[in-house]
Amino acid sequence: MGAGHDHSAKPGASTPHAEPGGLLAGNAELIASLLCGALLGLGFAIEKLAAGAPGWIALCAYVGAYALGGWFTAREAVEKLRRRKFEIDSLMLVAAIGAASLGAWAEGALLLFLFSLGHALEHYAMGRARKAIEALAALAPTIARVRQGEDLIETPVEAVVVGDIVVVRPNERLPADGFVIKGVSSVDQAPITGESVPVDKRPVEDAASARERPNGVEAASKVFAGTINGEGAIEVEVTKLSSQSALARVVQMVSEAETQKSPTQRFTDQFERVFVPVVLITVCLLLTPGVFIDEPFSKTFYRAMAVLVAASPCALAIATPSAVLSGVARAARGGVLIKGGAPLENLGALRAIAFDKTGTLTEGRPRITDVVVTGAGGEEELLQVAVAVEQLSDHPLAAAIARDGRERLGGGAIAQAQDLKSLTGRGVTARLNGQGVWIGKAEMFGVEGLAPLDAPTAEAISELRDKGRTTMVVRLGDRDLGVIGLLDTPRPGAKPALAQLRALGVTRMIMISGDHKKVADAVAAEVGLDEAWGDLMPEDKVEAIRKLSAQDKVAMVGDGVNDAPAMASATVGVAMGAAGSDVALEAADVALMADDLARLPFVVGLSRKTRWIVRQNLFVSLGVVALLVPATILGLGIGPAVAVHEGSTLLVVINALRLLAYREAPSRAAVA
């Protein structure tokens, strides 16, 4: 075991918490802070209780407190000054040095003690959010059992290559992404997809076909690294290297999400850049009253240092990052990948969502319901031609025609078509036995040199569409052979998911589909949507999203492949079933790792909760500064100012960490 390193953890190494000595430094800072407090208490006790003791003993205790409390603060301040940043740490040091120059060693030591304690506890609390992300990286085992003939060789996961057969025993974690070739089991996919119920897995029907098109493997045979096998032993053919697995990509993308700032965070960063110099100018002005009024400089300087402490925006600096990091971590644990603070905040502000139909609101497994022969040939000729062409395509409708068509033909030999070409959004064309074949929507005929449909075919299409069927015309040469009617079943969870979204405050939900308007209307009515836009080509979907975006923020929910252009045009692009699709992971701002629409209300609710907590944190952080600054000008001391100031910093972090325990979507009233 010692030879195998956790390869999937490497992407997580880029997280801020994973820097060399990060955890040790965090503990050292906390220990130093507590020792600073102990020396502060010792010095105060000597000064107040041992009146006859030499003054230098208490002074030594305070100096020691300064050294322990100021070390990490000074180190961070120097590092930032090297990068030409004068920030909160620097302000605290100036205040502490100023207190010492006045002989107020006890109050300066108190300032450094509370600031360093707050800093250490803040790092500890933020570390908890980062650990929720890093825990993902530890899911995959370090060793895989690779089958070589009759032998099983224990191999480091990093050394497993595409095409290897790995054996997974009951109750073990899967070491790699792939598809099942032997054995039946149920797999707990919650670590990757967030699904609460184990998913039944079975071997692929055709290993050679799965090897050729691994992205087309059915969910019932596809498995992911880091998931947990159930009671049955299975054998898995590996389709991705450990560094390219869904788990590794999720860890990497969530880690990168930390660096992508939300609109609120960008605003607070800009605010700080202006606010810190304003604070310094204000402090300098507060040092001048002694020129005009009879006041000791020590009193003037002390008041200026108290204002410096009160105005330092510590809580503001951490208010948004802590909430965003906690929200992203909680989403990842629930099987949803959010790529940064911007999509997290935007998703929480949505009032409109557009849905693709096939594979999003429907199961994405259409079936043949009708075969209407309109030409001189029979049903067998129609199906033979359709299967020969569609078996070359990986479109869901093509797969349904190939699968169900073979079954209707009784499994006989199928001719081989050639020269398949996709006519985007309309259908396909190919050659079979020297003749041209066209299969697709009725709208592809009668344009671009193709003859119009004959009357019986047009009539059959109209009747099938009235019944809510998706229709595909089959033409061989110059003959219309007939029409195939298909039906894609709406997802059982679509209707309740849409109802939950309404309860969360999403007021407008639209289905956009390339299918005929009547088919789109039928599906929309079944799942409970008010609007359905049909007959849309891919470029029309992009235009539809742009039109919606001009009215309000809008999300586009699709499969991440055909819908990638529309998702890119939306305020937030959301991909379904992204665990099995590299394209979906890249194309979407938000990726629902499971093929489960119920994850959408979860993440919308979480995003709304995150926005609410960000607002609370900003209110607390700015409110404390607004109260403390005038209070210190009017005479509040450094000690109470530091206590309230650092208390507010811890309060906003603890408030943000509540997101890690998020369970249910909040009520509409809570997020309005």
Side-chain angles (χ1 to χ4, degrees):
M1 293 289 285
H5 298 286
D6 189 351
H7 188 78
S8 67
K10 289 181 181 177
S14 64
T15 63
H17 188 64
E19 62 191 19
L23 184 59
L24 178 61
N27 286 337
E29 185 174 13
L30 182 59
I31 292 167
S33 176
L34 294 174
L35 290 174
C36 168
L39 287 175
L40 170 63
L42 177 64
F44 187 80
I46 292 171
E47 197 172 49
K48 299 298 181 184
L49 302 178
W56 63 267
I57 299 178
L59 180 61
C60 286
Y62 290 142
V63 170
Y66 258 69
L68 288 166
W71 170 254
F72 289 97
T73 303
R75 195 174 68 174
E76 198 160 331
V78 169
E79 182 59 35
K80 287 177 179 176
L81 286 171
R82 282 178 181 165
R83 301 200 301 267
R84 297 182 181 179
K85 291 183 178 180
F86 192 86
E87 293 184 0
I88 298 157
D89 311 86
S90 305
L91 296 181
M92 292 296 103
L93 278 179
V94 170
I97 293 168
S101 68
L102 292 173
W105 287 94
E107 288 175 308
L110 176 64
L111 166 62
L112 290 175
F113 165 59
L114 290 175
F115 183 73
S116 61
L117 179 63
H119 221 234
L121 292 176
E122 174 191 311
H123 284 168
Y124 170 76
M126 290 291 287
R128 285 201 46 201
R130 291 196 178 99
K131 282 175 186 174
I133 294 171
E134 292 170 1
L136 291 170
L139 291 175
T142 56
I143 298 295
R145 294 186 192 86
V146 178
R147 180 174 292 287
Q148 294 184 0
E150 295 300 315
D151 299 326
L152 292 180
I153 309 299
E154 290 199 348
T155 307
V157 168
E158 302 95 307
V160 174
V161 298
V162 174
D164 278 351
I165 308 298
V166 296
V167 177
V168 186
R169 294 171 182 168
N171 303 314
E172 288 185 341
R173 288 192 183 271
L174 277 80
D177 286 12
F179 55 83
V180 180
I181 59 169
K182 186 177 180 181
V184 176
S185 187
S186 61
V187 174
D188 179 1
Q189 298 189 154
I192 302 297
T193 66
E195 292 166 289
S196 57
V197 178
V199 180
D200 292 336
K201 300 293 179 181
R202 63 174 185 270
V204 292
E205 294 178 5
D206 184 350
S209 175
R211 207 169 289 125
E212 271 183 41
R213 283 190 253 174
N215 286 334
V217 174
E218 291 186 355
S221 301
K222 189 179 292 186
V223 292
F224 306 105
T227 56
I228 306 165
N229 188 24
E231 298 300 317
I234 55 175
E235 295 190 13
V236 175
E237 181 165 329
V238 176
T239 56
K240 291 180 182 176
L241 301 175
S242 62
S243 59
Q244 299 168 340
S245 70
L247 175 63
R249 290 172 67 82
V250 167
V251 174
Q252 180 182 12
M253 288 183 175
V254 174
S255 300
E256 290 171 353
E258 292 183 53
T259 65
Q260 298 176 22
K261 295 183 178 181
S262 70
T264 304
Q265 195 171 345
R266 287 196 293 270
F267 164 75
T268 55
D269 287 349
Q270 290 169 353
F271 179 81
E272 281 182 60
R273 280 197 288 271
V274 175
F275 185 68
V276 169
V278 169
V279 169
L280 291 174
I281 292 169
T282 303
V283 169
C284 291
L285 290 174
L286 286 171
L287 292 172
T288 60
V291 177
F292 307 104
I293 61 174
D294 185 18
E295 181 181 77
F297 180 73
S298 59
K299 185 176 180 180
T300 303
F301 191 78
Y302 181 86
R303 182 172 58 241
M305 292 304 99
V307 171
L308 183 62
V309 171
S312 296
C314 295
L316 182 65
I318 203 68
T320 305
S322 58
V324 167
L325 181 59
S326 297
V328 168
R330 176 64 187 96
R333 207 171 69 220
V336 180
L337 173 60
I338 303 177
K339 298 181 183 176
L344 180 65
E345 281 199 24
N346 285 332
L347 194 61
L350 289 175
R351 289 290 179 265
I353 301 179
F355 297 87
D356 178 48
K357 178 177 76 71
T358 305
T360 302
L361 294 173
T362 64
E363 292 182 341
R365 284 184 53 83
R367 66 183 191 279
I368 293 178
T369 55
D370 308 86
V371 178
V372 182
V373 178
T374 59
E379 181 175 317
E380 184 173 346
E381 182 188 17
L382 188 157
L383 289 174
Q384 282 276 2
V385 171
V387 172
V389 172
E390 298 288 36
Q391 67 185 358
L392 302 178
S393 172
D394 56 4
H395 191 278
L397 292 176
I401 291 173
R403 181 191 66 242
D404 294 355
R406 273 200 198 92
E407 190 175 315
R408 286 179 177 239
L409 289 168
I414 303 294
Q416 291 295 315
Q418 299 88 29
D419 303 330
L420 180 77
K421 293 178 184 174
S422 175
L423 306 174
T424 306
R426 293 180 292 161
V428 295
T429 180
R431 296 198 65 77
L432 179 64
N433 299 327
Q435 295 190 77
V437 178
W438 291 265
I439 303 177
K441 297 179 181 178
E443 288 73 19
M444 76 181 281
F445 299 93
V447 295
E448 296 184 6
L450 277 180
L453 298 174
D454 59 34
T457 303
E459 186 179 340
I461 288 167
S462 179
E463 290 177 2
L464 289 173
R465 283 177 172 174
D466 285 341
K467 290 160 52 177
R469 305 292 192 259
T470 298
T471 56
M472 303 293 283
V473 177
V474 181
R475 175 179 287 179
L476 176 63
D478 57 2
R479 293 187 298 132
D480 291 342
L481 300 184
V483 185
I484 296 175
L486 300 104
L487 183 65
D488 193 0
T489 310
R491 291 179 182 272
K495 196 166 187 175
L498 297 179
Q500 283 181 277
L501 288 170
R502 279 199 181 88
L504 285 165
V506 180
T507 55
R508 191 178 184 191
M509 289 182 279
I510 310 104
M511 183 174 75
I512 60 176
S513 173
D515 221 326
H516 191 267
K517 181 72 164 66
K518 288 183 178 179
V519 178
D521 286 339
V523 174
E526 197 164 347
V527 298
L529 282 179
D530 300 324
E531 292 183 70
W533 300 354
D535 297 315
L536 299 180
M537 300 286 283
E539 59 270 24
D540 297 328
K541 290 185 180 181
V542 173
E543 189 55 39
I545 292 297
R546 284 180 181 156
K547 188 187 298 183
L548 290 168
S549 298
Q551 301 168 15
D552 203 346
K553 288 185 176 181
V554 63
M556 170 65 193
V557 185
D559 62 11
V561 182
N562 300 328
D563 302 309
M567 288 197 302
S569 301
T571 312
V572 182
V574 182
M576 291 273 294
S581 169
D582 291 341
V583 177
L585 281 173
E586 294 292 348
D589 301 305
V590 177
L592 311 183
M593 303 305 287
D595 197 20
D596 179 11
L597 204 57
R599 295 287 85 198
L600 188 57
F602 159 75
V603 72
V604 170
L606 174 63
S607 300
R608 279 170 163 39
K609 185 75 171 177
T610 303
R611 288 185 81 239
W612 180 238
I613 282 181
V614 166
R615 282 189 227 166
Q616 290 175 338
N617 283 356
L618 291 177
F619 179 79
V620 168
S621 55
L622 291 173
V624 165
V625 170
L627 287 172
L628 280 181
V629 169
T632 49
I633 290 175
L634 294 173
L636 184 70
I638 288 179
V642 170
V644 175
H645 184 274
E646 294 307 315
S648 68
T649 302
L650 288 177
L651 180 62
V652 298
V653 173
I654 292 167
N655 191 37
L657 289 177
R658 291 193 299 129
L659 288 166
L660 293 176
Y662 177 82
R663 286 285 178 266
E664 298 177 2
S667 68
R668 186 170 180 174
V671 295

